[in-house]
Amino acid sequence: MKNEGQKDFVLTKIVKGKNFDGVLRYIFSKPKAKLVCQNLQGTTISERVSEFNEISSQRKRVQRPVFHVSLSLPKVQEVSKGKWKRIVNYYLLGMGFDDCRYVAVRHRDREHDHVHIVASRVTNNGLLVSDSWDYLKTQAVARQIEKRYHLTPTPSSNQCLATSPTVRERRSGVESVRTRLQKQITLAAFASKSVSELVERLKEQEIQVSFKMEGSFRKGIIYHYQNLHFSGSNLGRGFSEYGLNRYLLGHSNESYPTIVSNPSPWLTQQQALLLYRKYGKDAETLAQIAQKALLDRWNWDSIRFILAQGEQFNKIKQKIGRRMALKYLNVVIASVSDESHQPKGIEFEKLYVSQHLNIEAKSSNELTL
């Protein structure tokens, strides 16, 4: 009997493509590839491709009708075919593909037992499955799968401040320069109160720091170590200048960086829109809407998704850009939430947004938030 105790559940990146033939030939061509489940009638690649194309032809303007993702377990661990089937169907339902054609194929050509899912983004009724916020959505669904099927909880990639080791780095069995650098910067940052203090501490460890400049503004940070060069984004979201200030600086004696977030069910865009209208019925501001969502115990990401459904957010996004607009929503949520439930570094984010908006206001008389 296979061990079906607790185990980590991993999602690789989502790929949205144009051609069903290529991806189906890939997933079925691997050694020991086995069909887990499908709702197609075809039994050959060409028959399956024909069914997918027939459905996607209902929306000829859709340029990328192919949805492809793989779900993985850790090295040497497996679950039964029946459990994989239940996991696949739960994932598809959570992602909004319950009325779509799909096929799931299991691979054992690598250390990780994993399943590839290929689905049509065009439903059987000719509708299009929205890819809005699909990165956060797929992470949220994965966390729900862990809970439902008793798998070990794994932080979502958007909750991790350091990028994970690559497949090659893991297979080497030796700690990589990048991983060692991440740890050294983290420890130095915990003991530093500012970026300038951190730079001096890193110099003592023969790690040099330089900045990408745009005029008089710093737009990026680069770490130089053992004749190699790593940008902040290459090391992870916690290692940019913004990330250092937000999450690491001065947080001594903390564990290796992970953002903790209370899980809650993922909202479809339609559900989020309905909640926005419900909460916004008697509300005049985004803060009042956020406060109502907090009372209903939605987590931070869900509330931000709800707030993003309104025209107010679209106007803000047009003026200051999507990334800064999302930070602005964090500040809005923080303004009405209890301090014990606020994420680490939110005080810095408030200051960062305030300073940015002041800069924008000086260059644009129209910006009023």
Side-chain angles (χ1 to χ4, degrees):
M1 180 179 291
K2 295 173 184 174
N3 176 18
E4 294 198 14
Q6 288 202 328
K7 41 189 77 74
D8 299 309
F9 185 67
V10 180
L11 274 164
T12 60
K13 67 178 181 180
I14 293 171
V15 177
K16 283 164 279 190
K18 299 179 180 180
N19 189 290
F20 285 102
D21 184 79
V23 69
L24 289 180
R25 290 189 184 281
Y26 166 74
I27 66 173
F28 278 102
S29 68
K30 289 291 183 177
K32 299 181 181 180
K34 297 290 184 181
L35 177 69
V36 175
C37 53
Q38 66 174 23
N39 60 359
L40 303 168
Q41 299 298 314
T43 57
T44 67
I45 291 176
S46 59
E47 289 172 346
R48 292 182 176 108
V49 169
S50 179
E51 286 187 60
F52 275 125
N53 287 338
E54 180 183 1
I55 291 296
S56 61
S57 66
Q58 298 178 82
R59 305 274 301 214
K60 293 182 179 179
R61 294 182 63 182
V62 176
Q63 296 182 353
R64 298 184 298 167
V66 181
F67 178 89
H68 175 206
V69 68
S70 65
L71 316 179
S72 303
L73 294 172
K75 178 180 176 181
V76 191
Q77 297 182 330
E78 298 181 358
V79 298
S80 66
K81 178 181 177 180
K83 193 166 188 176
W84 263 129
K85 183 177 180 179
R86 295 193 295 275
I87 289 172
V88 167
N89 282 302
Y90 188 91
Y91 176 79
L92 289 168
L93 177 64
M95 292 295 291
F97 289 92
D98 46 309
D99 189 34
C100 297
R101 303 290 173 92
Y102 76 91
V103 61
V105 176
R106 186 178 190 175
H107 284 181
R108 298 186 183 181
D109 59 318
R110 296 184 179 178
E111 296 172 322
H112 297 263
D113 180 20
H114 61 285
V115 167
H116 287 264
I117 303 174
V118 176
S120 169
R121 293 184 59 223
V122 179
T123 72
N124 294 321
N125 294 321
L127 302 175
L128 180 66
V129 177
S130 172
D131 61 356
S132 176
W133 294 53
D134 61 357
Y135 176 75
L136 286 177
K137 176 163 59 175
T138 200
Q139 299 281 358
V141 173
R143 304 292 77 81
Q144 291 298 311
I145 288 173
E146 290 168 346
K147 182 177 180 181
R148 184 180 182 91
Y149 295 103
H150 309 292
L151 308 177
T152 303
T154 304
S156 297
S157 59
N158 65 298
Q159 294 177 308
C160 297
L161 303 184
T163 53
S164 301
T166 64
V167 173
R168 180 177 295 179
E169 288 171 343
R170 288 197 299 267
R171 287 179 176 175
S172 72
V174 178
E175 185 178 63
S176 68
V177 173
R178 187 163 65 100
T179 300
R180 189 159 60 250
L181 178 60
Q182 288 170 326
K183 291 181 179 179
Q184 287 180 260
I185 295 171
T186 300
L187 292 174
F190 285 166
S192 304
K193 295 181 179 180
S194 66
V195 172
S196 58
E197 184 179 340
L198 170 64
V199 169
E200 292 303 315
R201 288 183 182 275
L202 293 178
K203 279 183 182 179
E204 296 173 1
Q205 301 178 50
E206 299 184 350
I207 301 169
Q208 303 298 317
V209 178
S210 63
F211 297 91
K212 294 179 181 178
M213 304 298 294
E214 187 174 297
S216 59
F217 294 99
R218 297 202 298 220
K219 290 293 186 179
I221 187 169
I222 303 171
Y223 302 93
H224 310 272
Y225 182 56
Q226 295 188 359
N227 296 319
L228 297 174
H229 314 287
F230 300 86
S231 65
S233 58
N234 180 266
L235 297 180
R237 64 185 298 196
F239 298 88
S240 64
E241 188 168 5
Y242 172 84
L244 290 169
N245 281 286
R246 171 78 196 270
Y247 302 111
L248 299 182
L249 290 176
H251 293 280
S252 58
N253 300 319
E254 301 220 9
S255 59
Y256 201 61
T258 297
I259 305 170
V260 178
S261 176
N262 296 323
S264 67
W266 175 254
L267 296 169
T268 66
Q269 191 163 16
Q270 183 61 28
Q271 289 171 328
L273 179 59
L274 290 174
L275 284 170
Y276 178 85
R277 290 171 177 169
K278 171 188 172 183
Y279 297 143
K281 187 175 181 181
D282 299 314
E284 296 181 357
T285 65
L286 288 175
Q288 290 173 348
I289 295 174
Q291 192 167 36
K292 292 181 179 181
L294 280 167
L295 291 174
D296 277 352
R297 304 181 68 82
W298 292 105
N299 71 3
W300 201 278
D301 285 337
S302 297
I303 297 171
R304 197 169 58 160
F305 189 35
I306 292 168
L307 297 181
Q309 303 308 308
E311 186 59 30
Q312 283 176 281
F313 176 73
N314 288 331
K315 289 179 179 179
I316 295 169
K317 184 171 65 173
Q318 289 171 6
K319 292 175 179 177
I320 62 177
R322 184 174 185 274
R323 292 183 66 181
M324 185 55 63
L326 291 174
K327 288 180 172 59
Y328 176 77
L329 292 186
N330 282 336
V331 173
V332 169
I333 301 169
S335 70
V336 294
S337 62
D338 184 89
E339 288 186 8
S340 62
H341 293 94
Q342 294 183 8
K344 183 198 299 181
I346 192 64
E347 291 303 319
F348 172 78
E349 184 147 19
K350 291 177 184 177
L351 178 63
Y352 183 89
V353 171
S354 175
Q355 290 176 339
H356 184 88
L357 295 186
N358 285 338
I359 292 171
E360 292 290 337
K362 291 176 183 177
S363 61
S364 173
N365 295 326
E366 297 179 3
L367 185 62
T368 55
L369 299 179

